[in-house]
Amino acid sequence: MASSIATTITDSTSTTGTGNARFNADAANWDSNPSIQLATSLAFESYLSRLPSPSKLSSFNVLEIGCGTGLLSLLLAPHVRSLTAVDAAEGMIDVLTHKLSSGGAYEKVKNVRPVACLLEDPEDPIIKIDPVTGEAWEGKFDLVISHLVLHHVADLSALFKTIYGTLKPGIGKVVTTDFENFGPEARRFHPEAKMDGVERHGITKEEMQEVLKGVGFEEVKVERGFVLQKRVESEPGRGDLERGPVMDFPFLVCEGRRG
């Protein structure tokens, strides 16, 4: 396995997106958040139920956009050939790199390549390295996944245009998950102190169908995949998550195939 697996790959000109300071600061304690762990597990089950049989999935090269500390990446990695894990927050990628390095909890995982960059160009050379061989390749993926990222993205059409360009023509598929904007109460998904980098309080079915179809995706499907029970502040800004009520947050699964 190439040494890039245990080394953070960084495009230093592209990691300055809105909200990255917050995520860099949160990275060390990210995995200790039970809501994040639960949401990731529920998303993983949703992905597996929508993907091909294990024999076919095992040949897939996957791109994850907004991988964070690699919670979802490391769940999916045993099921696929390779996974390129991209995040704009270097702190998050540093945590994932440590997990994969010698002595790390996932040092035996040899098919995940962490990349710190804000991916805006599907032809960016930074994603055109095979995670398994370490050699240059075409960089077109069978599958692109993204979990709890869309509500941080100002221009969803631009993001999905990039995703479209990274997929194999005719067969490449995108599957994303994020919480649904079900009304004003959806804002409570985030504590008021964590609003830095939040562009929208969830996504809607109509919005996502329009975005995916507008970019050119075929076989577009947007549906509720699961419901996350999450503790929230008793009142916005109180900072009392430990004592606040538990709310249900439905998540939408967005799918499409590159034409």
Side-chain angles (χ1 to χ4, degrees):
M1 182 61 202
S3 61
S4 61
I5 293 303
T7 304
T8 302
I9 308 301
T10 304
D11 179 352
S12 61
T13 64
S14 302
T15 56
T16 57
T18 302
N20 283 348
R22 170 198 156 192
F23 289 112
N24 286 329
D26 289 348
N29 298 315
W30 193 256
D31 292 3
S32 64
N33 186 320
S35 291
I36 291 172
Q37 292 279 358
L38 179 57
T40 302
S41 296
L42 292 170
F44 173 64
E45 294 300 327
S46 287
Y47 288 133
L48 280 189
S49 69
R50 290 166 170 82
L51 295 177
S53 64
S55 60
K56 184 174 182 181
L57 186 60
S58 64
S59 68
F60 272 29
N61 295 305
V62 179
L63 171 65
E64 182 178 3
I65 294 180
C67 65
T69 61
L71 292 174
L72 182 57
S73 316
L74 294 168
L75 287 174
L76 189 58
H79 301 270
V80 301
R81 177 187 177 274
S82 75
L83 194 148
T84 300
V86 172
D87 200 287
E90 291 184 27
M92 294 288 187
I93 292 296
D94 286 346
V95 172
L96 175 54
T97 299
H98 178 72
K99 291 178 182 180
L100 295 167
S101 63
S102 178
Y106 293 88
E107 64 176 340
K108 293 183 179 180
V109 175
K110 301 300 183 184
N111 66 336
V112 175
R113 179 173 177 261
V115 178
C117 79
L118 180 63
L119 186 63
E120 297 177 309
D121 179 2
E123 301 304 323
D124 193 328
I126 204 166
I127 62 169
K128 292 186 177 293
I129 304 255
D130 186 337
V132 175
T133 66
E135 299 176 356
W137 68 335
E138 64 173 355
K140 297 298 181 185
F141 297 89
D142 300 284
L143 174 69
V144 175
I145 61 172
S146 191
H147 173 57
L148 277 174
V149 171
L150 303 184
H151 68 275
H152 292 293
V153 177
D155 189 341
L156 290 174
S157 292
L159 171 64
F160 278 93
K161 184 177 180 180
T162 298
I163 290 173
Y164 190 92
T166 66
L167 289 166
K168 292 180 179 178
I171 58 173
K173 185 175 182 180
V174 61
V175 184
T176 70
T177 43
D178 211 329
F179 70 101
E180 184 177 4
N181 182 352
F182 55 86
E185 288 291 285
R187 179 186 177 93
R188 300 182 70 183
F189 188 88
H190 295 95
E192 290 297 312
K194 298 291 187 179
M195 291 294 180
D196 185 25
V198 175
E199 296 289 343
R200 58 181 57 78
H201 303 296
I203 57 175
T204 68
K205 179 177 180 178
E206 296 74 20
E207 170 188 34
M208 295 311 303
Q209 287 176 330
E210 182 178 350
V211 168
L212 268 70
K213 291 178 180 178
V215 168
F217 281 100
E218 300 179 359
E219 299 175 9
V220 172
K221 182 187 297 185
V222 181
E223 61 185 3
R224 283 191 178 182
F226 58 91
V227 175
L228 172 70
Q229 292 189 322
K230 185 177 188 292
R231 196 170 294 278
V232 300
E233 294 175 305
S234 60
E235 295 179 12
R238 286 187 68 99
D240 58 347
L241 288 177
E242 298 81 4
R243 301 182 301 277
V246 173
M247 282 184 60
D248 286 349
F249 290 91
F251 272 61
L252 294 178
V253 183
C254 311
E255 304 175 67
R257 177 180 58 81
R258 176 171 173 175

